[in-house]
Amino acid sequence: MLEASSQASWIELNAPAVRANIAVFRDILGHSAAVPESAQQQVQLGVVLKANAYGHGLLEILPLVHPLVDIIHLISPRDALEIRRIEARNNWSQRRLLVIGATSPDEFCQLAAGGVEVTLGDANVFAAAQMLKNKGLRADAHVHIETGLSREGFFPNEISSKLGFLADSDSPFRIKGILSHFANTEDVTEQQYAVEQLSEFEKGTQAIELLLGANHPKLERHIAASAATLVLPMAHRDFVRVGIGLYGFWPSAETRLSAKIVLPQLPKLKPVLSWKCRSQVVKLLRAGSYVGYGCTFRCERDTRIAVFPVGYFDGYPRLLSGRAHVLVHGHRASVLGRVMMNHIVVDVTGMTSDDSPVEATLLGSDGSETVSAEMLAGWAQTIHYELVTRIGAHLKRIVIDQ
Ligand SMILES: *Cc1c(COP(=O)(O)O)cnc(C)c1O
């Protein structure tokens, strides 16, 4: 495992913010349960801890969400198995875990043995079925329906031909649920494409129900990620899979706009993550000095700089060169010249009068100023999802719970 230097930048995680975001989603699902057609059954809250909990740190986020949610979704089978070990080590009760990502036949067996639910979404399921049977294992499984994202899943019209074996009495899969994933809920304020996907989802559900027969237990349906959970109540179904919202981010500006119309009150999502760094060097440069590789920045006047031991290796994008600012003593301090592999240089002129070290907030708030993940992502020509998931897994995470 990579380990960061003790001088490296670090991540602070706001535990109350995680709990507040969970409460926001519980509240929204409480409203949808009041809709007459689903009145008998409460919509359950599933969260997504893939990609190292969206870069926040799986090991740190897990203890905060584990007791408060109904089901946890992972991409990597390894993450699910690690969570089972953590539960055992800490004497926690087992939470429902569902792997929604690519899974090898061998991993299907390990998940089945660990009581982790699996997704049937690609051709690996055929070899997996054989291997599970050979080992005498059975897995709780969810069928992924392709409804228009053109990613994983089976088309409604290929279910009877490809998945017929699920109806066999010796099938190693106990089918518990059906899922799909929206393609275009975040980038729009009108949800026509999502409505079409819901109709494909319905077709897929009927095909599976037909295949499994009338005596099969009722299937759980789930299709909503954060955006649909926030703005498309008709998509809530039996449980939702909330990713980005758990970490306190709106999926997009469009989702936030839609929510103002759809919800009685705009929910307050609280960003969980801050990224901080202590300077390695503070010094005065004479007017005319150049800063960094390529000499892309030249000081117009005498300039006090702070050098921070953080760079693109840690996930601070090189596209932030000459564009971003960090916060020092509550002021915006410009990133000068290029972002390097392990260093950035910042203009702290007027913010400090000597060469003693200063602390920078790369992402988060200091006083009345904030650098949000959305701002950083905009400067780096990407989205906040990519920005946070790329924050180095090697960096230290500190959970702040007060
Ligand atoms: C990532 C993912 C989610 C969560 O999406 P958010 O927009 O982060 O809420 C839900 N379902 C699937 C299948 C995913 O891949």
Side-chain angles (χ1 to χ4, degrees), residues 5 14 34 65 104 108 110-112 117 130 137 153 169 181 186 201 219 224-225 237 249 253 266 297 305 384 388-389:
S5 133
N14 181 339
V65 307
S104 72
F108 268 98
Q110 294 175 41
L111 295 175
E117 297 169 39
Q130 200 53 53
L137 289 166
S169 58
H181 192 40
E186 291 85 4
F201 192 47
L219 298 170
R237 306 299 155 107
F249 300 114
L266 195 68
F297 183 83
I305 59 162
H384 52 320
V388 292
T389 54

Side-chain angles (χ1 to χ4, degrees), residues 273-333:
L273 179 149
S274 304
W275 190 1
K276 298 189 176 169
C277 194
R278 210 174 143 76
S279 65
Q280 179 185 0
V281 173
V282 176
K283 63 187 170 196
L284 191 66
L285 300 183
R286 291 291 161 212
S289 307
Y290 291 95
V291 174
Y293 293 133
C295 296
T296 58
F297 183 83
R298 181 168 175 273
C299 300
E300 289 283 322
R301 56 186 72 81
D302 290 358
T303 303
R304 191 173 303 277
I305 59 162
V307 180
F308 293 92
V310 60
Y312 56 78
F313 168 62
D314 304 293
Y316 198 79
R318 191 166 174 277
L319 274 172
L320 293 176
S321 299
R323 293 199 184 144
H325 60 255
V326 304
L327 303 176
V328 174
H329 297 327
H331 298 283
R332 297 177 174 208

Side-chain angles (χ1 to χ4, degrees), residues 177-211:
I178 309 186
L179 71 144
S180 193
H181 192 40
F182 288 119
N184 196 23
T185 45
E186 291 85 4
D187 296 333
V188 293
T189 50
E190 60 81 32
Q191 298 290 347
Q192 183 53 35
Y193 197 79
V195 170
E196 287 165 26
Q197 283 191 265
L198 280 172
S199 123
E200 287 302 297
F201 192 47
E202 191 52 42
K203 281 187 210 158
T205 304
Q206 282 169 10
I208 301 272
E209 282 174 347
L210 189 68
L211 186 69

